């Protein structure tokens, strides 16, 4: 199993990726060469194609999108050579036209040089972003103790790898404990809160006797972080789980987060959990979240998802029927289930408006 990071994106985000420094689509890369070849061949075949000569002026600017300064200069030189070949019938450009093409080619070389340096900087920043993501939420191993794990994460904000959702699975003295949560807001502004909450969970998972105490530790962490900060209003939803060593039951505490879905046989059932207030609100007179214990059958799995999945909407503004769709996907192996749900979302044209996180937990011995 393990983690699948949110590099799987909607088509429109992938199409725009090359504008942010990623390699351009293949057709963009070959377009300058094809255009130069096509115009040259046409003008060699018939003098009537000389009217196509104006297309040569577009080749150096197109080369900027795909190539470095050297290749851009070679293509610009190729345009000038073709213009002076008698066989192409283009060897009579006016001096003004020729100077314009030479200037455009030289300018394209300069722009390509600037773009190459910008792309190098973006690649460095992307590598730093990936390192930050690995530090905040390292990829889950295939198993943590007696629990198999599979995860999917996709930040809502374009160009970022870390958002407001978080999850983790840790083994401790009381068994395997897991958390999934959603911080107020998303994008880079929520990363600091995610780091604080994950740090509080990882520490509390080792020394707190029950999940209610773990939730209290995380709630206190948010309270400390927002103390003295005017209008901080830090809060987060979360759900905590604990699997004892025999993996025959699961204990749950919900802090305003959607409940897990139990996958049993060919059925998908949303679990009933007593909801508690979100972490960090400190509401006076509100009871703290209560722990609930649910017995598990062999081969049961738990599917957790953030609001970005539960609240995805279609063209009619209807929510994505996650439980119903999971029932249709229960035959999918745990490792592939988050990706299958994501593919299903895109296939049915549901729009995801928030960070999307999915986590599959499969207690019990590993499959043969």
């Amino acid at each position: 199993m393990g983690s699948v990071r949110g590099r799987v994106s909607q088509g429109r985000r992938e199409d725009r990726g090359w504008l942010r420094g990623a390699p351009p689509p293949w057709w963009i890369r070959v377009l300058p060469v094809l255009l130069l070849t096509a115009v040259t061949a046409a003008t060699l075949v018939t003098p009537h194609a000389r009217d196509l000569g104006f297309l040569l002026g577009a080749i150096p600017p197109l080369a900027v999108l795909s190539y470095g300064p050297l290749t851009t200069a070679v293509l610009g030189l190729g345009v000038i050579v073709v213009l002076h070949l008698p066989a192409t019938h283009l060897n009579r450009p006016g001096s003004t036209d020729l100077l314009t093409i030479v200037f455009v080619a030289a300018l394209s070389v300069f722009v390509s040089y600037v773009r190459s340096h910008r792309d190098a900087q973006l690649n460095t920043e992307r590598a730093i972003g990936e390192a930050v993501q690995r530090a905040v939420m390292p990829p889950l191993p295939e198993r943590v103790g007696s629990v198999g794990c599979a995860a999917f994460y996709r930040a809502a904000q374009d160009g970022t790898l870390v958002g407001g959702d978080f999850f983790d699975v840790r083994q401790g003295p009381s068994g395997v404990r897991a958390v999934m949560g959603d911080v107020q807001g998303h994008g880079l502004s929520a990363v600091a809160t995610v780091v604080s909450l994950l740090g509080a969970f990882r520490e509390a998972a080792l020394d707190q006797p029950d999940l209610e105490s773990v939730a209290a530790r995380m709630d206190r962490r948010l309270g400390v972080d927002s103390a003295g900060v005017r209008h901080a209003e830090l809060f987060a939803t979360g759900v905590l789980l604990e699997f004892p060593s025999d993996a025959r039951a699961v204990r749950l505490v919900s802090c305003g987060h959607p409940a897990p879905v139990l996958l049993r046989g060919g059925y998908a059932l949303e679990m009933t959990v007593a909801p508690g207030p979100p972490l960090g609100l400190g509401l006076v007179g509100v009871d703290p979240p209560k722990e609930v214990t649910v017995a598990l059958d062999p081969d049961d799995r738990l599917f957790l998802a953030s609001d970005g999945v539960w609240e995805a909407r279609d063209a009619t503004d209807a929510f994505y029927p996650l439980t119903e769709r999971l029932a249709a996907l229960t035959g999918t192996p745990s490792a592939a289930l988050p990706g299958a749900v994501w593919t299903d979302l895109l296939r049915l044209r549901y729009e995801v408006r928030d960070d999307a996180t999915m986590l599959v937990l499969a207690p019990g011995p590993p499959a043969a």
Side-chain angles (χ1 to χ4, degrees), residues 305-325:
S306 64
D307 290 342
V309 178
W310 283 100
E311 298 178 359
R313 298 172 183 263
D314 62 9
T316 66
D317 216 33
F319 289 121
Y320 177 66
L322 178 59
T323 305
E324 175 186 328
R325 298 306 304 157

Side-chain angles (χ1 to χ4, degrees), residues 6 13 20 133 153-163 187-188 355:
R13 290 181 60 172
R20 299 189 299 269
Q133 185 183 42
Y153 186 93
R154 171 189 173 271
Q157 185 173 330
D158 266 359
T160 62
L161 298 174
V162 182
L188 297 177
D355 300 326

Side-chain angles (χ1 to χ4, degrees), residues 88-227:
T88 63
H89 312 287
L90 299 173
N91 58 335
R92 295 180 182 177
S95 59
T96 302
D97 294 338
L98 182 59
L99 287 176
T100 299
I101 291 177
V102 171
F103 174 77
V104 169
L107 183 61
S108 298
V109 171
F110 173 75
V111 173
S112 178
Y113 173 80
V114 174
R115 182 193 62 79
S116 298
H117 279 257
R118 184 208 64 179
D119 288 351
Q121 182 179 5
L122 288 176
N123 289 335
T124 301
E125 293 175 355
R126 186 179 296 110
I128 293 173
E130 292 176 352
V132 170
Q133 185 183 42
R134 287 192 295 269
V136 173
M137 289 193 304
L140 287 179
E142 293 185 0
R143 297 192 67 81
V144 178
S146 60
V147 179
C149 308
F152 174 94
Y153 186 93
R154 171 189 173 271
Q157 185 173 330
D158 266 359
T160 62
L161 298 174
V162 182
D165 288 356
F166 61 94
F167 61 85
D168 200 4
V169 183
R170 296 280 164 158
Q171 187 169 18
S174 301
V176 176
R177 288 176 170 175
V179 64
M180 173 177 283
D182 185 359
V183 170
Q184 172 203 20
H186 53 78
L188 297 177
S189 61
V191 173
T193 307
V194 167
V195 172
S196 292
L197 285 173
L198 282 175
F201 166 77
R202 289 163 182 168
E203 180 182 352
L206 295 176
D207 54 29
Q208 293 300 316
D210 52 54
L211 291 180
E212 295 171 355
S213 301
V214 177
R217 177 75 66 86
M218 297 173 69
D219 181 77
R220 187 179 67 178
R221 178 73 263 170
L222 279 185
V224 171
D225 288 348
S226 60

Side-chain angles (χ1 to χ4, degrees), residues 324-348:
E324 175 186 328
R325 298 306 304 157
L326 282 172
L329 296 170
T330 52
T332 307
S334 297
L337 186 56
V341 173
W342 182 251
T343 301
D344 190 61
L345 269 167
L346 300 184
R347 182 180 61 83
L348 298 177

Side-chain angles (χ1 to χ4, degrees), residues 232-262:
E233 298 179 351
L234 288 178
F235 69 90
T237 64
V239 59
L240 298 161
L241 304 93
E242 178 181 285
F243 299 90
S245 56
D246 59 11
R248 295 181 179 177
V250 59
R251 304 183 184 98
L252 303 102
V253 165
S254 174
C255 302
H257 196 275
V261 178
L262 175 64

